[in-house]
Amino acid sequence: MQKVLYIEEAEQYAEYMNPKVVRGIRDDRTETFECYSRYTLFVFPMYDIRQVRLAANQVVIYMDHEDLLLFCEGQRGYARVSSLFQKEATNECALWSFFHNLLKNDMDNLEDLECEIADAEMAAMVRFQNDYIRKIIAYRKELLRLKRYYEQLDTIMDSLLLNENKMLSADGIQHFTILANRTTRYLQNVLNLRDYVTQMREAYQSQIDIEQNNLMRLFTVITTVFQPLTLMVGWYGMNFAHMPELRWNYAYPVFIGASVIVCVLLLAFFKKKRWV
């Protein structure tokens, strides 16, 4: 028997399964992969990577030599599993077909995500964006979700290939090896994208630091230029009775000219040193 069911229907098919399996499905205590002499049981969160905001739906798969039962969480999960699942001559063929359809277009979607991340980086390089950090956080969150998803699928594939209870034939092992390699590539792609997003964040933070350093350098130059003037003003403003500038008509113009010369010389010096 090959069938797609709701998780709530597990007890109705208790006659086809071990009582321990029914209790585990009912109480949500199923491990990622459990292999026994007469059956295999595993569970994973099924994501639709095209729908970023949709939560995962839990899928529990029970397989023995006679039956293949897929228990789904929620109506949306049931509809998606039903669209991916096809009855085949053997349970291993039906299971392989299900995972094949599940992973069918994932590479295209990952490439689209990679292009979207690259476009966001290019847009941030062209002009400053206030929401750039928020975008990076959103990308990191999505990639973390995909990482966990493919890690669990990778674990399931590796455990299936061990074939400890001889549920798979030699041809089945060969076909599942192809799926396992594909899952590993997807996982590695996601890890590469995570590293890329991390580098984007570091590059953006470096750019902010450079802009802040440039601003601080500008303030430093301004402060340095006006520091001598402050000294001159303090000296010139001292109220002594015998200072010569008090009796000289050109004292103020000369003082102004000297201030301008000091500013010009300092700015020329800073420009020569490429500080401005």
Side-chain angles (χ1 to χ4, degrees):
M1 178 176 60
Q2 299 172 4
K3 201 168 185 64
V4 178
L5 304 163
Y6 287 98
I7 288 181
E8 294 78 7
E9 298 179 287
E11 294 187 1
Q12 300 177 20
Y13 290 81
E15 60 181 296
Y16 301 101
M17 298 181 291
N18 188 296
K20 179 182 176 181
V21 174
V22 177
R23 290 194 300 269
I25 296 175
R26 181 189 60 199
D27 301 334
D28 194 20
R29 293 185 300 176
T30 306
E31 299 293 333
T32 302
F33 191 92
E34 300 179 29
C35 182
Y36 298 93
S37 59
R38 296 185 177 180
Y39 66 89
T40 298
L41 179 70
F42 54 92
V43 59
F44 68 97
M46 184 180 63
Y47 289 104
D48 186 351
I49 69 172
R50 298 167 299 178
Q51 303 292 333
V52 177
R53 298 182 180 179
L54 293 181
N57 296 109
Q58 190 116 311
V59 177
V60 182
I61 299 180
Y62 171 88
M63 183 175 70
D64 58 25
H65 291 287
E66 292 80 25
D67 304 309
L68 175 62
L69 304 177
L70 286 75
F71 297 95
C72 311
E73 178 187 27
Q75 184 175 0
R76 179 165 54 86
Y78 178 85
R80 184 148 190 262
V81 171
S82 298
S83 66
L84 298 174
F85 183 75
Q86 298 176 356
K87 292 184 178 181
E88 300 287 349
T90 61
N91 290 338
E92 68 175 11
C93 289
L95 185 63
W96 179 89
S97 176
F98 168 73
F99 279 113
H100 172 74
N101 293 331
L102 179 66
L103 300 171
K104 185 185 248 183
N105 299 316
D106 282 17
M107 182 55 74
D108 293 336
N109 293 319
L110 290 175
E111 289 177 353
D112 291 341
L113 180 60
E114 182 178 1
C115 292
E116 182 181 341
I117 293 173
D119 292 341
E121 181 187 26
M122 184 62 66
M125 292 176 62
V126 173
R127 60 184 179 86
F128 181 80
Q129 294 181 335
N130 293 327
D131 62 341
Y132 188 63
I133 291 295
R134 182 180 58 80
K135 288 182 179 180
I136 290 178
I137 293 174
Y139 288 137
R140 285 176 60 87
K141 184 177 180 181
E142 172 62 13
L143 290 171
L144 177 61
R145 185 183 81 148
L146 293 176
K147 172 180 171 291
R148 292 173 176 171
Y149 172 55
Y150 287 120
E151 280 179 342
Q152 287 191 291
L153 287 181
D154 196 45
T155 300
I156 289 172
M157 294 297 172
D158 290 342
S159 300
L160 277 173
L161 289 174
L162 290 176
N163 200 24
E164 295 177 352
N165 52 12
K166 308 302 179 183
M167 289 288 173
L168 302 180
S169 64
D171 290 339
I173 291 177
Q174 184 177 0
H175 284 87
F176 274 99
T177 299
I178 297 174
L179 284 181
N181 293 336
R182 185 183 303 176
T183 305
T184 302
R185 289 198 303 271
Y186 293 166
L187 175 59
Q188 188 59 48
N189 198 328
V190 170
L191 294 177
N192 292 338
L193 285 177
R194 287 192 71 202
D195 293 339
Y196 181 34
V197 171
T198 300
Q199 293 172 5
M200 287 171 54
R201 183 172 184 175
E202 292 174 353
Y204 182 71
Q205 188 61 46
S206 298
Q207 185 65 31
I208 292 178
D209 293 340
I210 291 173
E211 292 178 358
Q212 290 177 344
N213 290 338
N214 290 335
L215 185 61
M216 292 302 299
R217 183 169 60 181
L218 176 62
F219 288 154
T220 301
V221 168
I222 294 174
T223 302
T224 305
V225 168
F226 283 95
Q227 192 66 36
L229 302 183
T230 302
L231 177 63
M232 293 169 62
V233 169
W235 174 76
Y236 191 80
M238 290 188 295
N239 190 16
F240 292 118
H242 301 289
M243 293 185 71
E245 62 268 20
L246 296 178
R247 297 185 298 274
W248 189 29
N249 294 333
Y250 298 102
Y252 279 109
V254 169
F255 181 81
I256 294 173
S259 300
V260 172
I261 291 173
V262 169
C263 291
V264 171
L265 290 176
L266 287 174
L267 288 175
F269 176 75
F270 292 151
K271 189 172 182 180
K272 182 179 180 181
K273 294 292 185 180
R274 295 184 179 180
W275 294 348
V276 292

